[in-house]
Amino acid sequence: MKPFKPYSTALLFIITGSVWYMVGTIYGLFSAIHLVSPEFFANIPALVFSRARPVHVNTVLYGFVASVLIGCGYYYVPALLRTPLWSEPVGWASCLFWNLAVLSGPISFGMGYSQGREYAEYIWIADVSLMLALLLSILNLVMTILNRVEKYLYISVWYMTGTFLWTSGAYFIGNVMWHPRTGALSGILDPIVHWFWGHNLPGLLLTPLATGAAYFVVPRVVKRPLYSHALGAIGFWTLVAFYTHIGGHHIVQGPIPNWIKVASTVSSMTMAIPVFTVLTNLWMTARGAGGRLLHEPTGRLVLAGLIWYLITCIQGPLQSLPYLQPVTHFNNWTVGHAHIAVLGFSGFIAVGTMWHVLPMITGRRVYSPALVNLQFGLLMLGLTGFFLVLTAAGLVQGSAWNNGELVYKVLPELPPYMGSRLGLGLSIIASSFIGFYNLVMTLRRGEPVDPDTMVWELEEIA
Ligand code: HEM
Ligand code: HEM
């Protein structure tokens, strides 16, 4: 890969994201093994659950899903603006800082250094590195927009740029970066600020990146212009309006002020507006041509991602209700939701969009569409299994605890669920290795594409 070629930032993010996909899921395996056999890694401190779990979660979130989606955005923003990226070297620098932060996970958590707040575990110096990546990306994207040839800003450009603007603020606040030693506040204020970030990581980083990518791929695959730009704008602004303050729904069972619980639960319901405007808009775009989405490998992954989004966002508002939480909170139900949300929605869209844009970035056809289909099948098998098994385990735990059963009486019920999750996880891990093989082979042996067939016009989708 030659440095600083057009779209090289995009490719770099996609390559590094694909590596973290393998690393992150392997750490998921270590965590899953622990839940089946707690003594398995007892003599290897770096792999015990309390260290492997945060490596897994942070690596798949920031390293895999976010990196791949950012890489795709670094392709479609310049392409939609008919303007080269303002600076590829600055793009490489953001990719470097981003990856240094992700790399700090296995190293510092493995050594026992963590800020100990879920989704905000990176130590302060890694936070600084991640912030630099975000700020450099803002500079690069804003300058590209200012220098653009195409005056019209397609909705995907809004989402990709908005992601960095919001995330830089939310990350700084949620990680309490002005307290380098602890990365935390004291007292009840801390979980409130912590979960402000905990939900804005999916809400203001992954959701807009995945939505922007879906808005790019769906019209291209079905060969129809977007149904409604007005719906696109409504979905965008209502996402900012409602997502920013629903973090409180993670601590409904905690001693936080009642008005925060009410505000976050009510806004969790109003999330239906941004979610359904996006889904309706894309559905109407594909209406009558949905078969193309189903039959084209990259479109199928994105379509599946949108269906997982629908399921996630029916489940999400329901599980924010204080009446249902006694059964769904503090157990594997939430872990099931987290997997269909992060892997199902944003992860599927990341993988689908990556294969969609790769030929346009590299000038080479995907080495094996059959392997993309295999990857889809393995992901579907693993994730559907995860969803069923974890939801069932959560219901067993939730109903037992709700009926006043003691924890030790419920634990013997769990091994079949934890064992099945371990087995199903192998399918997801296999998908990451197959994807990486296909990526390397595409770069090395992918059939060169006639540049004329790669040219596309904004009018085709906008
Ligand atoms: C309408 C939209 C959504 C609502 C209302 C919602 C609601 C919730 C609630 C209430 C919880 C906490 C459950 C508990 O602890 O009892 C939760 C957890 C979670 N959600 Fe969502 N969700 C939504 C969409 C999403 C999306 C799109 C993503 C990812 C892109 C996501 C990722 C997560 C994750 C990772 C957790 C686990 C947090 C933890 O570790 O405790 N959610 N969600
Ligand atoms: C790219 C694919 C994956 C993504 C995006 C992902 C995402 C996540 C997230 C967001 C959490 C936090 C859940 C929560 O706190 O509620 C989590 C936890 C976990 N994941 Fe994954 N995961 C993936 C693959 C896997 C695989 C393949 C395995 C097993 C082989 C696995 C096993 C686990 C385990 C054991 C936990 C900890 C659950 C607990 O604390 O009880 N994950 N994962």
Side-chain angles (χ1 to χ4, degrees), residues 51-367:
R51 298 185 186 185
R53 184 193 194 277
V55 178
H56 163 57
V57 174
N58 286 279
T59 307
V60 289
L61 287 166
Y62 297 95
F64 159 47
V65 182
S67 292
V68 172
L69 285 169
I70 291 173
C72 296
Y74 268 109
Y75 166 73
Y76 65 65
V77 168
L80 286 166
L81 297 176
R82 304 183 221 253
T83 310
L85 185 67
W86 178 64
S87 166
E88 290 291 343
V90 170
W92 279 57
S94 9
C95 189
L96 174 73
F97 286 124
W98 186 267
N99 280 286
L100 285 177
V102 178
L103 180 66
S104 78
I107 297 173
S108 75
F109 304 161
M111 292 165 67
Y113 295 103
S114 149
Q115 291 195 332
R117 296 151 91 239
E118 201 183 8
Y119 307 112
E121 281 113 337
Y122 286 143
I123 54 173
W124 185 76
I125 192 70
D127 289 342
V128 172
S129 191
L130 203 130
M131 279 298 290
L132 281 173
L134 292 170
L135 295 174
L136 289 177
S137 290
I138 294 176
L139 173 71
N140 220 348
L141 292 169
V142 169
M143 290 307 290
T144 310
I145 292 174
L146 290 177
N147 290 335
R148 72 190 188 274
V149 172
E150 170 58 55
K151 291 294 159 227
Y152 174 66
L153 293 175
Y154 182 65
I155 188 71
S156 301
V157 179
W158 285 77
Y159 274 110
M160 170 78 176
T161 314
T163 300
F164 290 96
L165 292 172
W166 304 323
T167 302
S168 50
Y171 192 88
F172 183 81
I173 296 170
N175 284 267
V176 194
M177 281 185 65
W178 61 96
H179 283 181
R181 212 172 49 79
T182 57
L185 297 171
S186 50
I188 203 62
L189 197 54
D190 188 61
I192 296 171
V193 172
H194 166 201
W195 281 106
F196 164 76
W197 170 244
H199 211 84
N200 282 331
L201 160 58
L204 296 185
L205 178 69
L206 302 183
T207 301
L209 285 174
T211 311
Y215 267 126
F216 179 70
V217 176
V218 171
R220 278 184 45 86
V221 172
V222 298
K223 300 189 180 6
R224 296 255 177 94
L226 185 67
Y227 172 69
S228 163
H229 295 280
L231 273 184
I234 293 171
F236 178 85
W237 289 111
T238 49
L239 182 84
V240 197
F242 299 138
Y243 230 129
T244 37
H245 54 278
I246 62 176
H249 65 206
H250 292 262
I251 36 178
V252 173
Q253 306 302 320
I256 58 167
N258 230 15
W259 68 266
I260 297 186
K261 296 185 187 179
V262 173
S264 54
T265 306
V266 170
S267 290
S268 300
M269 299 293 147
T270 55
M271 276 299 297
I273 302 172
V275 172
F276 283 98
T277 43
V278 169
L279 291 175
T280 310
N281 208 1
L282 291 173
W283 177 258
M284 293 305 284
T285 305
R287 207 163 72 131
R292 290 200 192 126
L293 271 182
L294 261 183
H295 293 115
E296 201 271 338
T298 70
R300 188 186 307 142
L301 276 154
V302 173
L303 174 65
L306 292 170
I307 295 172
W308 284 119
Y309 189 39
L310 175 68
I311 301 171
T312 301
C313 296
I314 291 174
Q315 198 187 34
L318 291 175
Q319 71 194 15
S320 71
L321 293 172
Y323 303 104
L324 290 184
Q325 281 229 347
V327 182
T328 61
H329 189 67
F330 282 138
N331 59 52
N332 278 291
W333 172 286
T334 308
V335 185
H337 170 78
H339 281 92
I340 60 164
V342 178
L343 175 57
F345 160 51
S346 43
F348 267 64
I349 294 182
V351 176
T353 310
M354 156 185 153
W355 293 121
H356 188 85
V357 299
L358 259 179
M360 296 178 282
I361 294 178
T362 60
R364 290 174 182 274
R365 275 189 217 293
V366 172
Y367 173 69

